[in-house]
Amino acid sequence: MANNSGRHVFTSESVSEGHPDKVADQISDAVLDACLAKDPRAHVACETMCGPNLVVNMGEIACAGFGEINTQEIARGVVKDIGYDRPGEGFSWDTFNYMSAMHAQSPDIAQGVNRKKAEMQGAGDQGMMFGYATRETKSFMPAAIVYAHELLRHFAKLRRTRKVPFLRPDAKSQLSVAYEGGRPVAIDAVVLSHQTTEDGANTKAYALLEEIAREYLAKATKLLTPKTRFFVNPTGKFVVGGPAGDSGLTGRKIIVDTYGGMAAHGGGAFSGKDPSKVDRSAAYYARYAAKNIVAAGYADRCQIQVAYAIGVDKPVSVCVKTFGTNRGATNEQLEKLILSGKVFDFRPYALTADLGLASPKGWRYRDTASYGHFGRPEFPWERTDRVDAVRDVVG
């Protein structure tokens, strides 16, 4: 997104933990968590597909002790936790059919990743990854995607505590944020599509949902105005939802998972992949670097691109963009900072060790799989502990 000092409106969406694609992402990451608990050096690429009363796992696994992991039990536990517990709705944790077609990792891929010296580990795939940070919110994230996520998390709490008893797990939100001078100044429009029971499929219930959304956003964002438009279940009914209403597949919500379209995306999905897959781990590390650069005061917005060749440990290219917001350092100087390895080491082994990605402590990969991978302080790539180091090197 170019630096734009005029007035414009930017829109991002979020989907809830009960959205069929997010059901799939959470199952894939729960399998990953189980594998890393058994074997921190596990190589995992777990895909999940779900539909009416069906969950299917596919992909490649190289994990010591994998035979002791009950993937069907994991899948059912995730679906139960999400809240799909009514067989009459067409998808329930205790009644869906389960299939697994997972297999061992390709030896051709393994030979490019594994090395006699662990620190020489090669990238698990080719591709380009992006990290981004902006000053427009406290979390250094774009406003539209942050507030879209937070709105759905608020409704999820109301559903789980049964304060709004007619809510069901599937939901989508969409926020259109107006900018002036590059800063968010107002919420122009809010779209909320939330699955309900039949009892909640009426205008009175939808008016309650709008009231809840208005109150929450007014308090959380300070950006609501009398002109803010609300669209709640605009089709008039949303009862059939989740995998019973639409199929779900791992990795189909990559823009929801990242920056809501505000920054570039390399195309690689995250969930179900261990940190040797740089389309996940390097995207996390690029966010880490971009956030520390912005926090250090060298730019109001920073986007970092890194690119890898499969089996090669160092990035083949680095590109930094600050969209005209840089101060005290040029884009070229910031690229040299990245390439020097003095503050951020983008080799797969190094960045995995730096962020503790092989042995998560205090967080789970499953937790990343809904409401965004970025902007949440519980994840290690959200630390701003390299600010002083960045300043020391850049000057």
Side-chain angles (χ1 to χ4, degrees):
M1 179 180 174
N3 188 35
N4 191 336
S5 59
R7 185 178 177 90
H8 63 283
V9 176
F10 190 85
T11 301
S12 295
E13 73 160 350
S14 177
V15 298
S16 73
E17 64 210 61
H19 186 282
D21 292 332
K22 286 288 132 193
V23 173
D25 283 344
Q26 289 170 88
I27 293 172
S28 292
D29 271 340
V31 172
L32 170 62
D33 285 327
C35 290
L36 291 178
K38 284 282 186 184
D39 178 8
R41 299 189 66 182
H43 290 169
V44 180
C46 177
E47 308 286 345
T48 303
M49 177 179 68
C50 55
N53 272 328
L54 177 67
V55 171
V56 180
N57 277 138
M58 299 164 287
E60 55 176 13
I61 307 285
C63 171
F66 181 67
E68 301 171 13
I69 296 174
N70 188 330
T71 56
Q72 178 176 179
E73 185 177 89
I74 290 171
R76 293 192 186 280
V78 169
V79 173
K80 184 179 182 181
D81 289 346
I82 292 170
Y84 285 115
D85 52 7
R86 303 180 184 183
E89 292 181 343
F91 186 76
S92 180
W93 71 273
D94 54 346
T95 60
F96 67 71
N97 296 311
Y98 178 81
M99 296 174 58
S100 176
M102 287 186 282
H103 58 84
Q105 184 182 43
S106 162
D108 296 343
I109 295 175
Q111 72 178 1
V113 176
N114 299 327
R115 293 288 188 272
K116 289 183 179 179
K117 292 185 177 180
E119 62 270 21
M120 299 301 292
Q121 171 187 326
D125 202 353
Q126 70 175 48
M128 62 281 191
M129 301 85 212
F130 291 87
Y132 179 76
T134 173
R135 284 193 179 278
E136 65 188 72
T137 63
K138 292 181 180 179
S139 61
F140 292 82
M141 287 287 289
I145 188 65
V146 166
Y147 300 141
H149 286 321
E150 290 183 357
L151 181 62
L152 287 188
R153 294 185 81 170
H154 180 61
F155 275 99
K157 290 179 182 177
L158 296 176
R159 172 178 63 86
R160 291 180 177 278
T161 57
R162 301 192 182 277
K163 291 183 178 179
V164 183
F166 57 79
L167 293 179
R168 297 300 291 141
D170 195 359
K172 301 178 77 172
S173 67
Q174 183 173 287
L175 263 67
S176 301
V177 176
Y179 285 76
E180 287 183 359
R183 310 298 295 178
V185 295
I187 295 176
D188 185 69
V190 178
V191 181
L192 175 67
S193 297
H194 207 304
Q195 182 189 15
T196 70
T197 62
E198 287 285 355
D199 293 341
N202 56 70
T203 55
K204 183 178 179 180
Y206 298 166
L208 174 60
L209 298 185
E210 179 177 332
E211 180 184 348
I212 292 170
R214 281 185 180 275
E215 290 180 356
Y216 180 77
L217 290 172
K219 183 178 181 181
T221 73
K222 314 298 184 186
L223 295 176
L224 281 196
T225 75
K227 295 183 179 180
T228 303
R229 296 166 293 156
F230 278 78
F231 303 87
V232 178
N233 284 5
T235 67
K237 187 177 183 179
F238 184 10
V239 171
V240 179
D246 193 7
S247 62
L249 189 65
T250 299
R252 284 205 298 202
K253 288 293 179 283
I254 59 176
I255 301 303
V256 171
D257 285 345
T258 53
Y259 307 101
M262 182 67 79
H265 196 295
F270 297 160
S271 288
K273 297 177 180 178
D274 75 89
S276 73
K277 279 71 173 176
V278 286
D279 42 3
R280 181 174 206 165
S281 56
Y284 288 172
Y285 206 65
R287 159 67 177 174
Y288 179 49
K291 186 174 181 180
N292 276 269
I293 287 171
V294 172
Y298 290 106
D300 289 335
R301 297 169 57 212
C302 180
Q303 176 180 280
I304 297 174
Q305 184 205 53
V306 290
Y308 291 86
I310 189 170
V312 179
D313 61 341
K314 294 182 180 179
V316 299
S317 73
V318 171
C319 177
V320 176
K321 291 185 177 181
T322 53
F323 309 97
T325 69
N326 59 301
R327 52 186 175 273
T330 65
N331 290 346
E332 290 76 13
Q333 286 176 301
L334 295 174
E335 287 174 2
K336 288 180 180 178
L337 165 73
I338 301 298
L339 289 167
S340 72
K342 293 179 180 179
V343 181
F344 305 105
D345 191 338
F346 273 84
R347 293 176 301 154
Y349 173 85
L351 66 85
T352 296
D354 217 357
L355 298 180
L357 299 181
S359 301
K361 290 180 174 58
W363 62 281
R364 303 176 300 177
Y365 280 101
R366 176 180 163 187
D367 296 331
T368 70
S370 51
Y371 309 116
H373 291 245
F374 303 120
R376 298 162 58 185
E378 63 265 36
F379 300 139
W381 47 91
E382 294 298 321
R383 302 191 308 251
T384 52
D385 56 349
R386 301 292 169 88
V387 167
D388 289 340
V390 170
R391 289 171 179 164
D392 288 343
V393 173
V394 176

